[in-house]
């Protein structure tokens, strides 16, 4: 003899309500999860790229002194920069100490805009490379002072890039007193900006429509440098008051 038992299942309405609730919860939490993931990608890549550049400079400092770049003092460009000069010097003295996956062609130019897609400009493609971690790095060397400007591009595969989200900047001063390049983040990213206590100026400059917002006491600089300072000063974590959403 077989006993037939009645099993009570879910009604179609109950299933649809459950699916709806799951959909609402997903819609509320998914953007935050995606944003947090994008933040972690930026934090990790920016910090690791800074470490690579700092290690490269440490090797260069150990193996050489300032006389290792005689081309710098021999130049007298009116604006301090030139593509041919930057590429030749960077290739000769710095590239051997970097883990590079690909060199970009001299005609590679990236569109860089602010977080709202305004104030776009073409980055000066001095010497650009893709590192093994997938990050793009462009280097421009001041042919008068020898300072190096690095543009770190988190997502070089994108057609349009955004300052403070895809593009960040460092400045490495040529320290004549110590006869080397400084790896300290305070000087690595312009000490007068790093030590400033006015966060509002940093935030405003980071999202400025002007690619080169003026800043009291620091002259003129690129807005992506200010975005970098906000993160670097927060131990390489994107702060809660960071003005750009991910």
């Amino acid at each position: 003899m077989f006993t037939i038992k009645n099993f009570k299942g879910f009604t179609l309405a109950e299933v649809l309500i459950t699916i709806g609730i799951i959909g609402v919860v997903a819609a509320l939490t998914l953007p935050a999860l995606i944003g947090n993931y994008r933040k972690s990608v930026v934090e990790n890549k920016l910090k690791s790229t800074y470490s690579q550049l700092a290690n490269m400079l440490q090797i260069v400092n150990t193996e050489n002194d300032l006389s290792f770049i005689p081309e710098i003092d021999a130049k007298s460009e009116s604006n301090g920069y030139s593509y041919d000069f930057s590429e030749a010097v960077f290739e000769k003295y710095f590239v051997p100490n970097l883990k590079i996956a690909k060199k970009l062609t001299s005609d590679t130019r990236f569109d860089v805009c602010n977080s709202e897609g305004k104030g776009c400009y073409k980055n000066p493609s001095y010497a650009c490379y893709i590192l093994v971690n997938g990050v793009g790095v462009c280097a421009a060397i001041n042919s008068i002072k020898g300072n190096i400007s690095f543009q770190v591009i988190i997502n070089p595969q994108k057609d349009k890039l955004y300052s403070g989200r895809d593009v960040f900047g460092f400045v490495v001063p040529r320290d004549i007193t110590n006869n080397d390049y400084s790896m300290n983040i305070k000087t690595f990213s312009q000490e007068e900006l790093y030590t400033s206590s006015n966060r509002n100026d940093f935030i405003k400059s980071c999202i400025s429509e002007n690619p080169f917002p003026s800043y009291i006491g620091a002259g003129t600089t690129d807005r992506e440098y200010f975005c970098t300072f906000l993160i670097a000063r927060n131990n390489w974590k994107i702060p809660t008051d960071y003005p750009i959403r991910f």
Side-chain angles (χ1 to χ4, degrees):
M1 296 293 292
F2 294 95
T3 301
I4 299 176
K5 296 182 179 179
N6 293 327
F7 293 96
K8 186 176 181 180
F10 294 105
T11 65
L12 178 59
E14 290 173 331
V15 172
L16 292 176
I17 291 173
T18 302
I19 293 175
I21 293 174
I22 293 173
V24 170
V25 172
L28 293 174
T29 59
L30 195 58
L33 293 175
I34 293 175
N36 289 335
Y37 171 75
R38 289 174 177 170
K39 285 182 180 180
S40 66
V41 169
V42 169
E43 291 168 348
N44 293 332
K45 287 190 174 183
L46 188 58
K47 184 177 181 179
S48 67
T49 302
Y50 166 78
S51 296
Q52 287 190 53
L53 296 176
N55 289 337
M56 173 199 69
L57 292 172
Q58 181 64 64
I59 295 173
V60 171
N61 287 337
T62 301
E63 296 179 348
N64 307 275
D65 57 33
L66 284 183
S67 62
F68 81 97
I69 307 183
E71 293 92 337
I72 290 179
D73 296 319
K75 295 287 289 187
S76 59
E77 297 286 340
S78 59
N79 62 358
Y81 295 93
S82 72
Y83 168 75
D84 294 334
F85 171 80
S86 291
E87 182 186 43
V89 172
F90 202 73
E91 285 277 338
K92 184 176 180 179
Y93 299 104
F94 297 90
V95 166
N97 301 304
L98 268 183
K99 296 179 180 179
I100 293 175
K102 178 184 178 182
K103 177 184 176 182
L104 301 180
T105 59
S106 59
D107 60 349
T108 301
R109 302 287 298 279
F110 297 103
D111 284 314
V112 183
C113 306
N114 77 343
S115 57
E116 296 180 351
K118 300 177 181 179
C120 304
Y121 74 99
K122 291 282 188 180
N123 82 311
S125 177
Y126 293 107
C128 292
Y129 309 86
I130 303 296
L131 303 183
V132 292
N133 64 353
V135 173
V137 171
C138 291
I141 303 175
N142 187 305
S143 57
I144 297 176
K145 298 179 180 179
N147 296 343
I148 307 175
S149 296
F150 284 114
Q151 199 172 49
V152 177
I153 305 169
I154 302 297
N155 302 299
Q157 73 279 0
K158 294 177 62 176
D159 293 330
K160 182 176 286 188
L161 304 168
Y162 298 91
S163 298
R165 186 183 300 152
D166 304 303
V167 182
F168 299 86
F170 298 109
V171 173
V172 186
R174 183 192 190 195
D175 191 336
I176 298 177
T177 302
N178 295 324
N179 211 31
D180 63 7
Y181 285 97
S182 175
M183 279 74 64
N184 188 317
I185 185 60
K186 291 184 179 181
T187 53
F188 201 86
S189 296
Q190 298 183 3
E191 185 170 10
E192 65 270 26
L193 299 183
Y194 186 85
T195 56
S196 171
S197 60
N198 193 339
R199 291 186 65 82
N200 288 332
D201 286 334
F202 278 78
I203 292 172
K204 290 178 182 178
S205 295
C206 176
I207 58 177
S208 173
E209 291 187 28
N210 188 343
F212 312 102
S214 103
Y215 182 87
I216 298 176
T220 303
T221 188
D222 302 74
R223 61 183 170 226
E224 48 261 29
Y225 292 131
F226 293 95
C227 301
T228 304
F229 304 149
L230 288 170
I231 298 174
R233 282 164 44 133
N234 196 45
N235 196 28
W236 298 104
K237 295 293 182 181
I238 296 174
T240 55
D241 62 348
Y242 195 68
I244 298 173
R245 298 184 65 181
F246 289 84

